[in-house]
Amino acid sequence: MNPRDSHPVSLPIDLTIQILARLPTKSLLRFRSVCKLWREVLSQKQFVDLHFALSSRTRGVAIESPDHAASTPDLVCVDPILGVSAFSLDFLDDRVKIRASCNGLLCCSSVRSRGVYYVCNPMTREFRVLPRTRERPFTRSEPEYEATLVGLGFDPATWRIHVAIAGFHRSFGRWPRGGDRRLVCKVFDAATGAWTRFAASMCDEFTCMNRNQSVYAGCSMNWLTHCCRYVSVLDLENMLWGKITLPDEVLATQQGTRFYLLELEGSVSVVQMSRFWMSTWVLKDRAKEEWALVDRVNLRCIDGYAASVFPISQTKDVVFMATQKKILMHDRNSRVWKEVYGVEGNFTYPLWFSAFAFGSTLFPCRQAIFHMHSVRRARRSFFLLAHKSAGRRESHLRSSYKKRGPTFGRSESSIECCLPKKLGQM
């Protein structure tokens, strides 16, 4: 063999990026220390968006530890491909409770300090402390309203964060009754870094399960009401509450069924469960309130759990469901059920109260908003960095040519395209 043939040939940068974008988040975090080029590439918005577009198909479940005595909760992530892995929120240095999840970010409330909320990415261990929701101290004559609803919204296109908390106001410690119920809502917008407060008259009720299942879609947050006749919608742009009526087929078959609100491919989805069937509806047109039935699953295979199982997370391929002590996964293509996680011992707290839809991402949570000029600046720096790397590589090959003669590796003086202009070009 000619020794010149053994000269290592490095892959083109565009092919390297496509390979890296298909790796798990934990691996990418380790690969940041490989070299300066990889560290810069893995931090660019284009790459983070590409990685999210590919990894969003494999979203799973994050389960909070049942050990409430722990100062910081340990989390278990159940992924349909990678299996079960553990991580912690110890970097917050506070005892917190997970309240909402959206696109790989978590919204947590402090247990020790009321009114303190965090937005964090447990994979990158980045976090942001939000301004206190109330500056004045709590008093008996003017208590804080009950934080019934907590929602987190993160737009992957703009990297914009919204946090909404809402509850029924209590005057002088009394619970509101009848038609005088006033829902007080506060919305945090990362673009301004402040809370916006407004109130609305609302007579709706929300169950403990419905409070945990908030869905962010189309710059709005959605919750399913206790009556299960419509979805309550918070428009984040106009700061208004609205309603979306459930499908007529669902309303006609409400007796003996349960309903849950989940996200599916970026849209609002309602899961209707009876003793033997699970039907999944997706909101196709918000303005016209048009729903479409996308899946119907027979529950006879899990007849022992059908009466108490709760859907937690779903994609177009799988759906995760929680029982008292187990997490089940249903493959929608093969129609096969599998137990993917279980809790041992004398565990009485149901898993569905501590499980959230979760998919690991590289999204940051420190930036307030990623403006379009920042996107263009990031793109320019990305290509300049790639060209600089290509120039160093060409210079190295030229010096090797003078010393050892020509090599058989391909040399590129420039890189035409490192990332697809559209995420669909893959």
Side-chain angles (χ1 to χ4, degrees):
M1 177 183 293
N2 193 332
R4 299 172 183 173
D5 298 345
S6 61
H7 183 74
V9 179
S10 44
L11 294 174
I13 185 65
D14 54 345
L15 181 58
T16 302
I17 290 173
Q18 290 293 336
I19 295 175
L20 292 175
R22 287 162 170 80
L23 296 179
T25 305
K26 283 188 175 182
S27 300
L28 295 176
L29 296 176
R30 293 196 301 267
F31 291 165
R32 285 181 176 180
S33 59
V34 171
C35 61
K36 183 178 180 181
L37 173 63
W38 280 26
R39 183 178 184 84
E40 293 294 332
V41 167
L42 298 180
S43 301
Q44 294 295 333
K45 185 178 187 300
Q46 279 186 291
F47 179 84
V48 175
D49 292 341
L50 177 61
H51 179 262
F52 172 74
L54 298 175
S55 62
S56 60
R57 307 167 187 171
T58 60
R59 294 186 182 182
V61 175
I63 306 170
E64 194 173 6
S65 172
D67 185 9
H68 299 286
S71 58
T72 56
D74 293 327
L75 302 178
V76 176
C77 181
V78 182
D79 189 274
I81 295 179
L82 301 178
V84 180
S85 59
F87 52 95
S88 177
L89 298 179
D90 55 356
F91 57 90
L92 296 178
D93 195 23
D94 192 2
R95 184 181 177 186
V96 296
K97 172 66 178 176
I98 299 176
R99 302 302 302 271
S101 172
C102 182
N103 292 328
L105 302 184
L106 299 177
C107 178
C108 306
S109 62
S110 175
V111 178
R112 299 190 182 101
S113 304
R114 293 182 60 185
V116 175
Y117 289 85
Y118 302 87
V119 175
C120 67
N121 186 332
M123 306 306 295
T124 62
R125 299 176 69 84
E126 291 184 352
F127 68 94
R128 177 171 184 165
V129 184
L130 307 187
R132 293 185 69 98
T133 58
R134 181 188 177 105
E135 295 298 335
R136 291 178 298 175
F138 301 100
T139 62
R140 184 176 181 181
S141 61
E142 194 175 355
E144 175 73 333
Y145 55 87
E146 293 298 312
T148 302
L149 304 177
V150 177
L152 172 64
F154 180 83
D155 188 354
T158 61
W159 289 12
R160 189 172 182 176
I161 297 174
H162 285 98
V163 176
I165 61 174
F168 295 104
H169 189 270
R170 292 190 294 157
S171 299
F172 300 99
R174 295 181 303 174
W175 290 98
R177 296 179 180 179
D180 61 346
R181 294 164 62 86
R182 190 163 62 100
L183 185 68
V184 181
C185 183
K186 287 187 176 182
V187 176
F188 174 82
D189 188 353
T192 61
W195 294 90
T196 301
R197 184 183 185 275
F198 62 99
S201 298
M202 185 176 294
C203 300
D204 302 323
E205 295 283 352
F206 301 93
T207 65
C208 294
M209 192 63 195
N210 292 342
R211 297 176 192 176
N212 286 353
Q213 293 187 314
S214 63
V215 174
Y216 175 80
C219 201
S220 66
M221 293 185 186
N222 306 263
W223 288 272
L224 187 64
T225 58
H226 179 58
C227 66
C228 296
R229 299 191 63 86
Y230 54 84
V231 176
S232 187
V233 182
L234 174 59
D235 186 347
L236 297 173
E237 292 292 337
N238 302 312
M239 299 298 176
L240 294 174
W241 286 92
K243 299 178 181 179
I244 299 178
T245 307
L246 296 187
D248 295 335
E249 295 86 344
V250 172
L251 298 177
T253 58
Q254 278 197 332
Q255 187 174 3
T257 59
R258 295 174 286 128
F259 300 89
Y260 306 96
L261 194 70
L262 298 180
E263 180 265 345
L264 180 60
E265 303 294 325
S267 301
V268 177
S269 172
V270 171
V271 179
Q272 180 185 17
M273 299 192 63
S274 62
R275 181 178 178 183
F276 299 114
W277 293 98
M278 179 178 67
S279 303
T280 303
W281 298 79
V282 173
L283 182 63
K284 293 296 184 181
D285 193 319
R286 182 181 297 268
K288 298 180 181 179
E289 297 186 357
E290 292 182 355
W291 299 80
L293 180 64
V294 296
D295 191 25
R296 199 160 184 258
V297 179
N298 194 322
L299 300 179
R300 295 182 184 272
C301 294
I302 57 169
D303 189 36
Y305 302 108
S308 60
V309 71
F310 287 73
I312 301 297
S313 174
Q314 64 177 347
T315 66
K316 65 177 182 180
D317 298 321
V318 298
V319 56
F320 287 90
M321 310 185 74
T323 67
Q324 182 83 15
K325 296 184 177 182
K326 298 180 180 180
I327 299 293
L328 307 178
M329 184 182 72
H330 173 69
D331 192 316
R332 284 174 163 156
N333 299 318
S334 63
R335 301 291 180 178
V336 174
W337 290 89
K338 183 189 300 184
E339 179 184 335
V340 293
Y341 179 75
V343 178
E344 300 179 355
N346 297 326
F347 179 69
T348 58
Y349 193 70
L351 279 181
W352 56 74
F353 284 122
S354 59
F356 298 83
F358 180 79
S360 60
T361 63
L362 293 171
F363 285 131
C365 54
R366 293 182 179 178
Q367 288 93 330
I369 182 172
F370 209 91
H371 296 284
M372 291 309 299
H373 65 82
S374 300
V375 176
R376 290 193 291 269
R377 184 170 64 250
R379 177 178 292 185
R380 287 197 300 268
S381 63
F382 182 88
F383 282 106
L384 288 175
L385 184 64
H387 279 287
K388 186 185 297 183
S389 174
R392 290 196 300 266
R393 178 181 167 196
E394 183 181 9
S395 175
H396 171 73
L397 291 176
R398 284 180 179 176
S399 61
S400 301
Y401 179 86
K402 292 180 181 179
K403 295 179 180 179
R404 299 188 298 272
T407 63
F408 292 90
R410 187 180 65 161
S411 174
E412 296 176 343
S413 59
S414 63
I415 301 175
E416 296 180 358
C417 182
C418 296
L419 285 174
K421 295 181 180 180
K422 295 182 179 180
L423 294 180
Q425 300 176 359
M426 294 180 289

